[in-house]
mmCIF file of all heavy atoms in Angstrom:
data_model
loop_
_atom_site.group_PDB
_atom_site.id
_atom_site.type_symbol
_atom_site.label_atom_id
_atom_site.label_comp_id
_atom_site.label_asym_id
_atom_site.label_seq_id
_atom_site.Cartn_x
_atom_site.Cartn_y
_atom_site.Cartn_z
ATOM 1 N N ALA B 435 -62.620 -233.364 89.271
ATOM 2 C CA ALA B 435 -63.407 -232.148 89.467
ATOM 3 C C ALA B 435 -62.765 -230.966 88.731
ATOM 4 O O ALA B 435 -63.435 -230.216 88.018
ATOM 5 C CB ALA B 435 -63.538 -231.846 90.952
ATOM 6 N N ALA B 436 -61.453 -230.821 88.899
ATOM 7 C CA ALA B 436 -60.748 -229.708 88.251
ATOM 8 C C ALA B 436 -60.858 -229.818 86.733
ATOM 9 O O ALA B 436 -61.033 -228.822 86.027
ATOM 10 C CB ALA B 436 -59.284 -229.701 88.686
ATOM 11 N N GLU B 437 -60.775 -231.055 86.230
ATOM 12 C CA GLU B 437 -60.862 -231.278 84.788
ATOM 13 C C GLU B 437 -62.249 -230.927 84.263
ATOM 14 O O GLU B 437 -62.415 -230.425 83.151
ATOM 15 C CB GLU B 437 -60.565 -232.747 84.487
ATOM 16 C CG GLU B 437 -60.664 -233.101 83.022
ATOM 17 C CD GLU B 437 -61.441 -234.393 82.780
ATOM 18 O OE1 GLU B 437 -60.983 -235.447 83.240
ATOM 19 O OE2 GLU B 437 -62.489 -234.327 82.113
ATOM 20 N N ASN B 438 -63.266 -231.188 85.076
ATOM 21 C CA ASN B 438 -64.627 -230.855 84.658
ATOM 22 C C ASN B 438 -64.742 -229.368 84.350
ATOM 23 O O ASN B 438 -65.386 -228.955 83.383
ATOM 24 C CB ASN B 438 -65.609 -231.267 85.756
ATOM 25 C CG ASN B 438 -67.047 -230.949 85.397
ATOM 26 O OD1 ASN B 438 -67.500 -229.830 85.619
ATOM 27 N ND2 ASN B 438 -67.737 -231.905 84.828
ATOM 28 N N PHE B 439 -64.091 -228.545 85.189
ATOM 29 C CA PHE B 439 -64.177 -227.094 84.991
ATOM 30 C C PHE B 439 -63.169 -226.582 83.960
ATOM 31 O O PHE B 439 -63.327 -225.500 83.420
ATOM 32 C CB PHE B 439 -63.986 -226.365 86.328
ATOM 33 C CG PHE B 439 -65.234 -226.301 87.154
ATOM 34 C CD1 PHE B 439 -65.847 -227.460 87.618
ATOM 35 C CD2 PHE B 439 -65.807 -225.087 87.476
ATOM 36 C CE1 PHE B 439 -67.015 -227.412 88.380
ATOM 37 C CE2 PHE B 439 -66.976 -225.022 88.233
ATOM 38 C CZ PHE B 439 -67.575 -226.181 88.688
ATOM 39 N N VAL B 440 -62.129 -227.348 83.693
ATOM 40 C CA VAL B 440 -61.131 -226.875 82.723
ATOM 41 C C VAL B 440 -61.700 -226.931 81.308
ATOM 42 O O VAL B 440 -61.264 -226.175 80.426
ATOM 43 C CB VAL B 440 -59.817 -227.685 82.843
ATOM 44 C CG1 VAL B 440 -59.786 -228.910 81.951
ATOM 45 C CG2 VAL B 440 -58.606 -226.813 82.536
ATOM 46 N N GLY B 441 -62.683 -227.790 81.110
ATOM 47 C CA GLY B 441 -63.227 -227.819 79.751
ATOM 48 C C GLY B 441 -64.175 -228.967 79.473
ATOM 49 O O GLY B 441 -64.021 -229.674 78.484
ATOM 50 N N ASP B 442 -65.159 -229.181 80.323
ATOM 51 C CA ASP B 442 -66.119 -230.255 80.063
ATOM 52 C C ASP B 442 -67.552 -229.728 80.086
ATOM 53 O O ASP B 442 -68.374 -230.173 80.887
ATOM 54 C CB ASP B 442 -65.948 -231.390 81.083
ATOM 55 C CG ASP B 442 -66.822 -232.599 80.734
ATOM 56 O OD1 ASP B 442 -67.659 -232.488 79.810
ATOM 57 O OD2 ASP B 442 -66.684 -233.644 81.388
ATOM 58 N N ILE B 443 -67.854 -228.790 79.200
ATOM 59 C CA ILE B 443 -69.253 -228.358 79.093
ATOM 60 C C ILE B 443 -70.094 -229.482 78.481
ATOM 61 O O ILE B 443 -71.308 -229.519 78.634
ATOM 62 C CB ILE B 443 -69.372 -227.059 78.264
ATOM 63 C CG1 ILE B 443 -70.777 -226.442 78.417
ATOM 64 C CG2 ILE B 443 -69.108 -227.307 76.800
ATOM 65 C CD1 ILE B 443 -71.115 -226.011 79.817
ATOM 66 N N LEU B 444 -69.405 -230.413 77.829
ATOM 67 C CA LEU B 444 -70.099 -231.525 77.175
ATOM 68 C C LEU B 444 -71.060 -232.254 78.122
ATOM 69 O O LEU B 444 -72.137 -232.672 77.729
ATOM 70 C CB LEU B 444 -69.055 -232.511 76.635
ATOM 71 C CG LEU B 444 -69.554 -233.762 75.922
ATOM 72 C CD1 LEU B 444 -70.404 -233.401 74.703
ATOM 73 C CD2 LEU B 444 -68.374 -234.632 75.497
ATOM 74 N N HIS B 445 -70.649 -232.367 79.402
ATOM 75 C CA HIS B 445 -71.485 -233.137 80.337
ATOM 76 C C HIS B 445 -72.788 -232.420 80.666
ATOM 77 O O HIS B 445 -73.754 -233.043 81.078
ATOM 78 C CB HIS B 445 -70.708 -233.405 81.636
ATOM 79 C CG HIS B 445 -70.731 -232.239 82.590
ATOM 80 N ND1 HIS B 445 -70.059 -231.065 82.356
ATOM 81 C CD2 HIS B 445 -71.366 -232.064 83.770
ATOM 82 C CE1 HIS B 445 -70.275 -230.227 83.357
ATOM 83 N NE2 HIS B 445 -71.061 -230.797 84.222
ATOM 84 N N ALA B 446 -72.792 -231.092 80.526
ATOM 85 C CA ALA B 446 -73.892 -230.298 81.092
ATOM 86 C C ALA B 446 -75.248 -230.664 80.490
ATOM 87 O O ALA B 446 -76.231 -230.820 81.205
ATOM 88 C CB ALA B 446 -73.616 -228.810 80.927
ATOM 89 N N GLY B 447 -75.284 -230.798 79.177
ATOM 90 C CA GLY B 447 -76.560 -231.064 78.512
ATOM 91 C C GLY B 447 -77.175 -232.381 78.947
ATOM 92 O O GLY B 447 -78.402 -232.532 78.951
ATOM 93 N N TRP B 448 -76.317 -233.327 79.322
ATOM 94 C CA TRP B 448 -76.816 -234.634 79.747
ATOM 95 C C TRP B 448 -76.947 -234.711 81.275
ATOM 96 O O TRP B 448 -78.037 -234.886 81.811
ATOM 97 C CB TRP B 448 -75.883 -235.749 79.248
ATOM 98 C CG TRP B 448 -76.418 -237.103 79.569
ATOM 99 C CD1 TRP B 448 -76.015 -237.907 80.596
ATOM 100 C CD2 TRP B 448 -77.475 -237.794 78.906
ATOM 101 N NE1 TRP B 448 -76.753 -239.067 80.605
ATOM 102 C CE2 TRP B 448 -77.658 -239.020 79.579
ATOM 103 C CE3 TRP B 448 -78.287 -237.482 77.812
ATOM 104 C CZ2 TRP B 448 -78.627 -239.951 79.199
ATOM 105 C CZ3 TRP B 448 -79.247 -238.412 77.423
ATOM 106 C CH2 TRP B 448 -79.403 -239.625 78.112
ATOM 107 N N THR B 449 -75.816 -234.528 81.970
ATOM 108 C CA THR B 449 -75.807 -234.648 83.440
ATOM 109 C C THR B 449 -76.839 -233.737 84.087
ATOM 110 O O THR B 449 -77.554 -234.144 85.001
ATOM 111 C CB THR B 449 -74.407 -234.278 83.986
ATOM 112 O OG1 THR B 449 -73.494 -235.310 83.633
ATOM 113 C CG2 THR B 449 -74.421 -234.117 85.489
ATOM 114 N N HIS B 450 -76.903 -232.497 83.615
ATOM 115 C CA HIS B 450 -77.672 -231.476 84.332
ATOM 116 C C HIS B 450 -79.061 -231.245 83.760
ATOM 117 O O HIS B 450 -79.694 -230.234 84.058
ATOM 118 C CB HIS B 450 -76.888 -230.158 84.361
ATOM 119 C CG HIS B 450 -75.613 -230.249 85.123
ATOM 120 N ND1 HIS B 450 -75.554 -230.739 86.400
ATOM 121 C CD2 HIS B 450 -74.335 -229.919 84.800
ATOM 122 C CE1 HIS B 450 -74.288 -230.708 86.832
ATOM 123 N NE2 HIS B 450 -73.542 -230.221 85.868
ATOM 124 N N ASP B 451 -79.545 -232.177 82.952
ATOM 125 C CA ASP B 451 -80.863 -231.962 82.357
ATOM 126 C C ASP B 451 -81.939 -231.751 83.421
ATOM 127 O O ASP B 451 -82.785 -230.866 83.298
ATOM 128 C CB ASP B 451 -81.248 -233.144 81.462
ATOM 129 C CG ASP B 451 -82.580 -232.894 80.779
ATOM 130 O OD1 ASP B 451 -82.596 -232.031 79.870
ATOM 131 O OD2 ASP B 451 -83.593 -233.507 81.154
ATOM 132 N N SER B 452 -81.895 -232.554 84.501
ATOM 133 C CA SER B 452 -82.963 -232.454 85.506
ATOM 134 C C SER B 452 -82.952 -231.082 86.172
ATOM 135 O O SER B 452 -84.008 -230.497 86.427
ATOM 136 C CB SER B 452 -82.809 -233.544 86.559
ATOM 137 O OG SER B 452 -81.577 -233.422 87.240
ATOM 138 N N ALA B 453 -81.744 -230.564 86.437
ATOM 139 C CA ALA B 453 -81.642 -229.266 87.100
ATOM 140 C C ALA B 453 -82.123 -228.156 86.173
ATOM 141 O O ALA B 453 -82.830 -227.231 86.595
ATOM 142 C CB ALA B 453 -80.204 -229.005 87.522
ATOM 143 N N ALA B 454 -81.762 -228.256 84.886
ATOM 144 C CA ALA B 454 -82.197 -227.235 83.928
ATOM 145 C C ALA B 454 -83.712 -227.253 83.792
ATOM 146 O O ALA B 454 -84.356 -226.199 83.758
ATOM 147 C CB ALA B 454 -81.527 -227.470 82.581
ATOM 148 N N GLN B 455 -84.277 -228.460 83.750
ATOM 149 C CA GLN B 455 -85.737 -228.568 83.656
ATOM 150 C C GLN B 455 -86.391 -227.897 84.861
ATOM 151 O O GLN B 455 -87.394 -227.198 84.747
ATOM 152 C CB GLN B 455 -86.160 -230.040 83.602
ATOM 153 C CG GLN B 455 -85.676 -230.807 82.375
ATOM 154 C CD GLN B 455 -86.413 -230.449 81.101
ATOM 155 O OE1 GLN B 455 -87.428 -229.747 81.128
ATOM 156 N NE2 GLN B 455 -85.893 -230.887 79.964
ATOM 157 N N ALA B 456 -85.780 -228.117 86.046
ATOM 158 C CA ALA B 456 -86.362 -227.567 87.270
ATOM 159 C C ALA B 456 -86.225 -226.052 87.332
ATOM 160 O O ALA B 456 -87.139 -225.350 87.768
ATOM 161 C CB ALA B 456 -85.705 -228.202 88.497
ATOM 162 N N MET B 457 -85.082 -225.521 86.881
ATOM 163 C CA MET B 457 -84.826 -224.087 87.014
ATOM 164 C C MET B 457 -85.425 -223.291 85.861
ATOM 165 O O MET B 457 -85.821 -222.152 86.019
ATOM 166 C CB MET B 457 -83.316 -223.824 87.086
ATOM 167 C CG MET B 457 -82.618 -224.431 88.296
ATOM 168 S SD MET B 457 -83.272 -223.862 89.880
ATOM 169 C CE MET B 457 -82.714 -222.159 89.900
ATOM 170 N N LEU B 458 -85.420 -223.886 84.657
ATOM 171 C CA LEU B 458 -85.807 -223.134 83.460
ATOM 172 C C LEU B 458 -87.060 -223.684 82.795
ATOM 173 O O LEU B 458 -87.608 -223.058 81.902
ATOM 174 C CB LEU B 458 -84.685 -223.199 82.406
ATOM 175 C CG LEU B 458 -83.307 -222.716 82.805
ATOM 176 C CD1 LEU B 458 -82.294 -223.079 81.741
ATOM 177 C CD2 LEU B 458 -83.337 -221.213 83.013
ATOM 178 N N GLY B 459 -87.449 -224.887 83.207
ATOM 179 C CA GLY B 459 -88.559 -225.534 82.524
ATOM 180 C C GLY B 459 -88.169 -226.040 81.155
ATOM 181 O O GLY B 459 -89.020 -226.286 80.299
ATOM 182 N N GLY B 460 -86.870 -226.191 80.899
ATOM 183 C CA GLY B 460 -86.408 -226.702 79.614
ATOM 184 C C GLY B 460 -84.981 -227.183 79.730
ATOM 185 O O GLY B 460 -84.386 -227.111 80.812
ATOM 186 N N SER B 461 -84.409 -227.663 78.624
ATOM 187 C CA SER B 461 -83.051 -228.182 78.657
ATOM 188 C C SER B 461 -82.036 -227.044 78.719
ATOM 189 O O SER B 461 -82.371 -225.895 78.442
ATOM 190 C CB SER B 461 -82.769 -229.022 77.412
ATOM 191 O OG SER B 461 -83.647 -230.122 77.370
#
Side-chain angles (χ1 to χ4, degrees):
Chain B
E437 178 226 297
N438 180 275
F439 278 62
V440 90
D442 187 352
I443 193 63
L444 179 59
H445 82 290
W448 185 259
T449 289
H450 296 308
D451 183 72
S452 61
Q455 296 286 350
M457 297 301 290
L458 303 170
S461 299

